[in-house]
């Protein structure tokens, strides 16, 4: 095992925070930013869908397959021990990253969607029955709507929805009115992927706790932009995806308070989640393994660990300053275009801008921007009820990350002017 | 602007987007259908009055991108007065045009005005936009309005 510890020492060594935020230096870490699309420099503004990956993450995934690949928790041979060590080390890293109390509270999943489905299937079916209510909000992603609808159908519970105002802020007074003795769960997005709204999650949680109602937080959009401390928030569950925080696809996390997770039945059955199996009786493994049936995505898990190292090395405070600058710069430029209307002006926002252009459908905007090398998302962003709330079939969304620049925003704005000229 | 973009957003397409033909409700349609493209939220309602197997009158309404709207506009003009069989043949030729390789020869004579959508094949993500009206036409033909 001494070799394993040597690997560990190397990991610690790179872990010194940077002094100044230099976006050019950051950009050098992301190889995809050097490529061209349709002969133009790539301007990647679809970060709310998925972020790009730094070289350290790509290298970690490759190194795993070249030098470390083995199954975890099942071999006495060197590689199996090494893979298990790297996998479990990432769990510790995530526990520290979100300030959870114990490694047992960190369950690996495929992503936010699977994390929420796990809660709905396991916690939901065990705890909810006819007449019970689940509260969500108007700005939820489909992955925080559909699992609850399925659950409601199965157990006879009802979905209640917190309205939002025209700026895209939650109407908290209405939320407080929805809370009652029927409420069994609140599941709420921390940061809206469509509007960028940062919800006052602490207030949402403390109000629910006054009614003894646990709260699920969808933090899919949070981790690359701000620090989340689960004990400070006092959330009961938290879900997020690796691929939206510079990590690989196919890996995500469910955090749950130990007491809650302990009381929940398993989600899937299989290997790794059991202590012993006979045809008469199976004894389930301890947390968190009880919820991790089958061989997980080991390479992606290790990659996610490297993504967290990278984010911490740059520092969330510096990232937030940079992204807020970009947001303000882009907002001003868009405000100067009379044909453009921005949807969502919440008091607290991350660097996400959804907008519509008079007389031009978002799909046409998306195609024309793409031909200019600018990648944006167009459509309903998996938030159809939210689109209905704002009475638009679709929007164009630009979302910024730590590696975006003002020059890129200039390029994006120029392309928008090009669209308007074409459709005049 | 790139060559492909200029080809896709030709003036004719932009004009049809702004002022589509046959953008209307029919008083007594014999066949109607609604088409929906969940990817981009395009929605179109198509209505026809058939006399025998001839499309006597056709109209559409809805919202969508320039490609889907222009396609609905030009498609409705192209099949107006045609038989169901002729409309089907046009659909086949249109579909081949927007999905085939560049080298494929087009039946420009039969396609007529529809040939301006040839540029769509350079944009695989937009093929669904151009064909939405056509697929709605086919499902309308299978859905006679109940006369009871
Ligand atoms: C707010 C929000 N919740 C949930 C999800 C689903 O995440 P995933 O597709 O990684 O499971 C997303 C991703 O689009 C999101 O933005």
């Amino acid at each position: 095992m001494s070799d394993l510890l040597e690997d560990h020492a190397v990991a610690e060594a790179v872990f010194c925070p940077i002094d100044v935020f230099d976006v050019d230096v950051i950009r050098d870490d992301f190889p995809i930013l050097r490529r061209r699309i349709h002969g133009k420099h790539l301007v990647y503004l679809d970060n709310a869908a998925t972020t790009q990956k730094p070289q350290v993450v790509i290298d970690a995934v490759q190194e795993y397959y070249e030098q470390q690949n083995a199954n975890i928790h099942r071999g006495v041979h060197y590689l199996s021990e090494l893979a298990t060590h790297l996998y479990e080390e990432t769990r510790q890293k995530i526990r520290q990253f979100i300030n959870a109390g114990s490694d047992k509270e960190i369950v690996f999943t495929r992503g936010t969607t699977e994390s929420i489905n796990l809660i709905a299937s396991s916690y939901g079916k065990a705890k909810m029955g006819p007449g019970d209510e689940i509260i969500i909000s108007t700005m939820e992603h489909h992955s925080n709507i559909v699992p609850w609808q399925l659950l409601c159908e199965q157990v006879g519970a009802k979905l209640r929805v917190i309205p939002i105002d025209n700026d895209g802020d939650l109407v908290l007074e209405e939320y407080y009115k929805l809370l009652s003795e029927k409420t069994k769960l609140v599941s709420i997005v921390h940061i809206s992927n469509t509007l960028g709204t940062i919800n006052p999650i602490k207030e949402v949680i403390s109000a629910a706790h006054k009614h003894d109602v646990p709260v699920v937080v969808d933090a899919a959009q949070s981790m690359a932009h701000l620090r989340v401390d689960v004990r400070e928030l006092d959330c009961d569950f938290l879900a997020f995806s690796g691929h939206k925080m510079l990590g690989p696809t196919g890996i995500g996390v469910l955090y749950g308070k130990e007491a809650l997770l302990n009381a929940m039945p398993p989600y899937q059955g299989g290997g790794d989640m059991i202590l012993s199996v006979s045809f008469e009786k199976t004894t389930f493994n301890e947390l968190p393994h009880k919820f991790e049936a089958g061989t997980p995505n080991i390479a992606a898990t290790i990659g996610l660990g490297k993504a967290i190292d990278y984010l911490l090395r740059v520092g969330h405070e510096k990232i937030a300053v940079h992204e807020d600058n970009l947001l303000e710069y882009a907002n001003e430029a868009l405000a100067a275009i009379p044909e453009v209307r921005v949807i969502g002006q919440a008091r607290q926002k991350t660097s996400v801008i959804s907008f519509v252009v008079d007389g031009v459908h978002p799909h046409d905007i998306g195609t024309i921007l793409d031909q200019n090398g600018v990648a944006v998302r167009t459509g309903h962003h998996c938030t159809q009820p939210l689109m209905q709330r704002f009475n638009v079939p679709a929007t164009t969304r630009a979302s910024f990350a730590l590696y975006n620049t003002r020059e890129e925003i200039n390029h994006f704005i120029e392309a928008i002017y090009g669209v308007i000229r074409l459709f005049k | 602007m790139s060559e492909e973009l200029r080809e896709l957003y030709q003036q004719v397409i932009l004009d049809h987007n702004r002022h589509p033909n046959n953008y209307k409700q029919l008083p007594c349609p014999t066949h109607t259908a609604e088409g929906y493209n969940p990817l981009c939220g395009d929605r179109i309602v198509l209505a026809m009055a058939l006399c025998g197997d001839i499309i006597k009158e056709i109209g559409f309404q809805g919202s969508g991108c320039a490609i889907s709207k222009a396609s609905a506009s030009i498609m409705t003009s192209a099949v107006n007065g045609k038989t169901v069989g002729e409309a089907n043949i046009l659909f086949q030729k249109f579909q081949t045009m927007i999905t085939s390789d560049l080298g494929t020869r087009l039946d420009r004579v039969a396609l007529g005005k529809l040939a301006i959508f040839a540029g769509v094949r350079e944009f695989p993500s937009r093929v669904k936009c151009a064909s939405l009206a056509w697929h709605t036409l086919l499902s309308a033909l299978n859905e006679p309005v109940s006369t009871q």
Side-chain angles (χ1 to χ4, degrees), chain A residues 48 111-113 141 143 189 191 193 218 220-221 241 243-244:
Chain A
T112 308
T113 304
H141 189 278
S143 63
V189 70
I191 296 174
N193 62 306
D218 171 354
Q221 293 292 335
S241 302
H243 70 97
K244 291 183 198 281

Side-chain angles (χ1 to χ4, degrees), chain A residues 5-25:
Chain A
L5 295 179
E6 249 168 59
D7 283 350
H8 199 76
V10 173
E12 292 291 321
V14 294
F15 196 80
C16 54
I18 63 163
D19 291 332
V20 280
F21 185 96
D22 181 342
V23 71
D24 292 328
V25 174

Side-chain angles (χ1 to χ4, degrees), chain A residues 344-385:
Chain A
Q345 314 271 5
R347 286 185 289 268
Q348 299 235 41
K349 268 189 76 163
T350 53
S351 48
V352 171
I353 307 182
S354 262
F355 62 96
V356 291
V357 177
D358 272 354
V360 193
H361 192 279
H363 219 188
D364 296 313
I365 299 173
T367 294
I368 296 169
L369 263 52
D370 174 59
Q371 287 289 310
N372 286 283
V374 181
V376 293
R377 173 89 189 261
T378 62
H380 52 61
H381 320 294
C382 298
T383 54
Q384 282 182 343

Side-chain angles (χ1 to χ4, degrees), chain A residues 35-84:
Chain A
R35 75 159 289 179
R36 286 170 165 262
I37 304 287
H38 306 306
K40 307 276 168 47
H41 287 291
L42 167 65
V43 174
Y44 187 78
L45 305 181
D46 194 15
N47 294 288
T50 196
T51 58
Q52 299 302 346
K53 323 302 173 199
Q55 191 69 55
V56 282
V57 169
I58 299 167
D59 287 349
V61 171
Q62 184 171 348
E63 190 188 351
Y64 171 73
Y65 285 122
E66 284 181 359
Q67 300 291 336
Q68 302 154 341
N69 177 58
N71 212 328
I72 53 168
H73 301 141
R74 14 195 123 165
V76 291
H77 59 82
Y78 176 86
L79 285 179
S80 177
E81 281 183 359
L82 176 61
T84 305

Side-chain angles (χ1 to χ4, degrees), chain A residues 159-180:
Chain A
L159 207 55
R160 306 300 300 264
V161 183
I162 310 168
I164 59 171
D165 64 20
N166 290 334
D167 290 334
D169 277 312
L170 288 178
V171 184
L172 283 177
E173 305 81 73
E174 294 300 320
Y175 164 59
Y176 300 142
K177 283 188 219 155
L178 287 177
L179 282 166
S180 76

